[in-house]
Amino acid sequence: MKLIRKFKREILLGIFLLFSYFLLRLIYLNSLPMFTDEAIYVRWAQIALHDSSWRFISLTDGKQPMYIWVAMLFIKFIKDPLIAGRLVSVFTGLFTMVGLFFLSFKLFKSKTISFLTSIFYIAFPFAVVLDRMAIYDSMVAAFYVWALYFSITLVRKIRLDNAFILGFIIGGGVLTKTSNFFSIYLMPFILVLFDFKQKKWKYQMLKFILLAAFSAAIGYGFYQILRLSPLFEMISAKNATFVYPVSEWIKHPFTFFWGNLHGLTSWLLQYLTPSFIVLIVISLIFIKKFIREKLILLIFFLLPFLALALFGKLIYPRFIFLMTVCLLPLAAWGLKYLFDLLDKKFAKNIALAKISKIILLILVIIYPVFVSFTFAVDPVNAKIADADEGQYVNSWAAGWGVKESVAYFTKQAENQKIYIATEGTFGLMPESMEIYLINNKNITIKGYWPISTFPQTVENMASKMPTYFIFYQHEHEVIPPDYPLKLIFQVKQGKSNNYYRVYQVMSK
């Protein structure tokens, strides 16, 4: 009880932050249609849950399996598979927020900065977008933040137990996504925080290097688990889709750098919003305090950011999320600096100082909260990064019409067998239909691609049972008039001029 009374304010504020976090992440969690990657990952988790021989199913597409393994557990206990997959990101986002709280305190020794960092993460539109989706990147950021935290812990307390914990976190990260190898690559830069004034500093540095190498070895050891699958080499092949291998990069080292850098910077600025950008600039202008601590945060943001710009072949905004969260403690430091100025200005009027700080905090977060809340309740009109708006909301990849299709087909199959053909053999279709309908014995689902002529097998099925065809990609905006199809319904794909359409196949 004494402990509770002592930290009453902190506990109440923590409870409020948890409530705010879950409010922005959980309200209307199904308002965003099922994105293509979500359909793939959720379907993989379903398959892996029910067939142990497919626990490494994500390697078929060169993806590490950690997210799939966690999603399996959620799907086991939650009825709606998509909601289950999205809840994985909700909770890994919570771990990111907690990690940023402790990271900020470890660096700046200020509870105010720690709480401000948590508030900023709650309001951060980039975090809200990815914490509400059943994709890898929220989990990736969680491992990255905690790896940074324990790397700093290790350099300040050079002990074997810290090295073990760091190794396990790195291992979990590299089992999630290749980008988490940055936690290993950037580890030498942690020496920025090394205390060269201590006695026997050379011995302590050698000890740190050995324990850091031990942590990295544990991480690589975890990664070797993937060699149990004969599909291990698919990871390298998939990575080559998004990042130029060195052997290819040296042929045109800077050809795409400036274009990539412009795109990445544009997305970064759109998500940070003006208020966070100003606070980050303030924290960097006044560099006399916590120079080394700020430098570490900059390194863990800037070096991966530049590496992606340099080597990126196919890039999306979500790729920079893990490094972008490292800027939030800097923004919090900037706001704390302004708070201190207000305290000095209103030193004789404490009440006015508190009110001024509250108003300033509201002014900082009001726009990010507005964007985040709009994304939660009305994603079509949310002011998120252009590239994400195009992918997640206003395109064929967004999955508009999936819920309506599932409801329609479930009703049609109540007393008869039906056949569902889909445009596409991997991705949103047929995975989204399989997620909800595969266990219905009255429903058969099959994907077709490419569709240059209407599949004869589908026409044959139409003579045996009610048969339907789903078209949703822009390749078939106009259906050839000779296709034996009758439109059942269509759903507009966000703000685009394209439609998700369900047809019944008419038998001849």
Side-chain angles (χ1 to χ4, degrees):
M1 292 300 295
K2 290 183 179 179
L3 193 65
I4 294 176
R5 284 195 295 269
K6 182 179 179 181
F7 296 101
K8 180 180 178 181
R9 291 176 59 188
E10 289 82 357
I11 292 172
L12 290 175
L13 182 54
I15 293 172
F16 174 75
L17 292 180
L18 284 175
F19 173 80
S20 301
Y21 174 85
F22 283 115
L23 177 66
L24 272 179
R25 268 61 177 183
L26 294 178
I27 57 169
Y28 299 100
L29 191 56
N30 62 348
S31 63
L32 186 72
M34 183 186 295
F35 175 54
T36 293
D37 287 4
E38 290 185 291
I40 295 169
Y41 303 154
V42 170
R43 183 60 187 141
W44 282 347
Q46 277 186 323
I47 294 171
L49 173 64
H50 296 105
D51 188 345
S52 59
S53 66
W54 280 106
R55 294 286 155 81
F56 290 95
I57 187 173
S58 61
L59 293 180
T60 58
D61 193 42
K63 301 286 180 63
Q64 287 92 324
M66 179 61 78
Y67 173 86
I68 305 303
W69 291 344
V70 177
M72 284 165 45
L73 302 177
F74 279 70
I75 288 174
K76 185 177 179 65
F77 298 103
I78 297 171
K79 183 178 180 181
D80 188 324
L82 178 61
I83 296 299
R86 288 179 174 178
L87 283 175
V88 174
S89 294
V90 170
F91 283 101
T92 54
L94 177 63
F95 285 128
T96 304
M97 184 184 77
V98 174
L100 288 171
F101 178 93
F102 285 106
L103 175 64
S104 300
F105 189 80
K106 183 168 286 292
L107 289 173
F108 302 121
K109 305 300 180 185
S110 167
K111 288 188 290 186
T112 300
I113 293 177
S114 292
F115 278 113
L116 288 175
T117 303
S118 299
I119 291 171
F120 288 173
Y121 185 82
I122 291 170
F124 191 26
F126 208 171
V128 172
V129 169
L130 295 177
D131 289 347
R132 292 174 58 89
M133 297 185 68
I135 54 180
Y136 279 54
D137 300 272
S138 178
M139 182 177 288
V140 171
F143 280 114
Y144 190 69
V145 167
W146 280 103
L148 175 55
Y149 173 83
F150 278 101
S151 295
I152 296 170
T153 301
L154 180 62
V155 78
R156 290 182 171 173
K157 294 182 179 179
I158 307 172
R159 300 189 328 213
L160 183 61
D161 57 341
N162 289 329
F164 265 114
I165 296 171
L166 175 58
F168 291 149
I169 291 172
I170 291 173
V174 298
L175 285 176
T176 305
K177 205 168 188 179
T178 302
S179 52
N180 277 115
F181 275 105
F182 279 120
S183 297
I184 296 176
Y185 304 152
L186 297 175
M187 204 179 297
F189 292 97
I190 294 295
L191 285 171
V192 169
L193 298 176
F194 185 79
D195 183 8
F196 288 94
K197 296 179 181 180
Q198 63 183 309
K199 295 180 180 179
K200 300 181 180 180
W201 68 267
K202 292 182 180 178
Y203 168 75
Q204 291 297 323
M205 177 177 283
L206 177 60
K207 186 177 177 182
F208 169 76
I209 292 172
L210 292 175
L211 288 180
F214 178 65
S215 297
I218 292 175
Y220 277 108
F222 272 63
Y223 192 66
Q224 301 313 306
I225 293 172
L226 302 181
R227 292 187 181 275
L228 293 172
S229 171
L231 299 170
F232 175 76
E233 297 301 327
M234 289 293 294
I235 296 176
S236 298
K238 188 67 176 183
N239 289 341
T241 302
F242 298 99
V243 176
Y244 286 107
V246 175
S247 59
E248 187 177 345
W249 174 80
I250 57 176
K251 298 176 183 178
H252 47 75
F254 296 100
T255 302
F256 304 103
F257 174 73
W258 294 109
N260 285 344
L261 186 62
H262 177 269
L264 294 174
T265 303
S266 174
W267 299 331
L268 174 69
L269 296 179
Q270 285 178 295
Y271 271 126
L272 282 177
T273 70
S275 55
F276 288 161
I277 294 170
V278 169
L279 292 177
I280 292 168
V281 171
I282 289 173
S283 74
L284 298 178
I285 291 175
F286 300 96
I287 60 173
K288 293 183 179 180
K289 294 183 178 179
F290 299 102
I291 296 175
R292 295 187 300 166
E293 288 78 4
K294 294 176 184 177
L295 183 57
I296 280 297
L297 291 172
L298 275 179
I299 287 171
F300 271 71
F301 160 72
L302 192 58
L303 292 188
F305 188 85
L306 292 177
L308 185 58
L310 194 60
F311 292 97
K313 180 189 293 187
L314 180 62
I315 55 176
Y316 296 107
R318 58 183 178 272
F319 293 173
I320 64 171
F321 178 61
L322 80 163
M323 56 200 80
T324 302
V325 294
C326 293
L327 296 176
L328 296 182
L330 291 175
W333 193 96
L335 186 57
K336 174 63 164 56
Y337 178 82
L338 296 180
F339 280 180
D340 292 341
L341 293 180
L342 290 173
D343 284 332
K344 291 179 182 179
K345 182 176 182 179
F346 301 109
K348 297 181 180 180
N349 192 330
I350 297 176
L352 185 58
K354 288 183 178 180
I355 294 172
S356 299
K357 289 190 286 187
I358 292 173
I359 292 173
L360 180 58
L361 175 60
I362 292 173
L363 290 175
V364 166
I365 66 171
I366 189 167
Y367 181 69
V369 168
F370 170 75
V371 175
S372 298
F373 184 77
T374 304
F375 180 78
V377 301
D378 184 18
V380 172
N381 294 308
K383 300 297 182 181
I384 61 175
D386 296 338
D388 281 349
E389 181 184 3
Q391 263 204 313
Y392 304 150
V393 183
N394 297 313
S395 75
W396 60 266
W400 296 100
V402 168
K403 288 189 292 187
E404 293 85 349
S405 295
V406 170
Y408 178 78
F409 292 138
T410 300
K411 184 173 180 61
Q412 296 303 309
E414 286 179 351
N415 301 306
Q416 61 181 339
K417 292 184 179 296
I418 66 172
Y419 186 87
I420 303 172
T422 68
E423 178 186 21
T425 57
F426 180 71
L428 186 65
M429 296 293 162
E431 272 75 4
S432 62
M433 294 297 104
E434 291 176 348
I435 287 170
Y436 293 102
L437 303 174
I438 195 69
N439 292 324
N440 190 322
K441 295 180 180 179
N442 282 343
I443 298 177
T444 301
I445 304 167
K446 184 174 175 58
Y448 293 86
W449 188 264
I451 307 174
S452 54
T453 60
F454 195 78
Q456 185 61 48
T457 54
V458 178
E459 284 197 61
N460 295 339
M461 293 303 302
S463 63
K464 301 175 183 178
M465 65 183 72
T467 300
Y468 303 89
F469 212 119
I470 298 174
F471 285 97
Y472 70 105
Q473 297 188 32
H474 53 78
E475 283 86 351
H476 289 93
E477 292 180 20
V478 178
I479 301 296
D482 59 325
Y483 283 14
L485 300 174
K486 174 186 175 183
L487 182 65
I488 302 299
F489 67 85
Q490 62 182 12
V491 178
K492 190 175 183 180
Q493 295 169 335
K495 289 183 178 179
S496 72
N497 294 320
N498 302 323
Y499 290 84
Y500 171 105
R501 291 159 294 173
V502 174
Y503 293 91
Q504 183 170 1
V505 182
M506 309 305 294
S507 60
K508 294 182 179 179

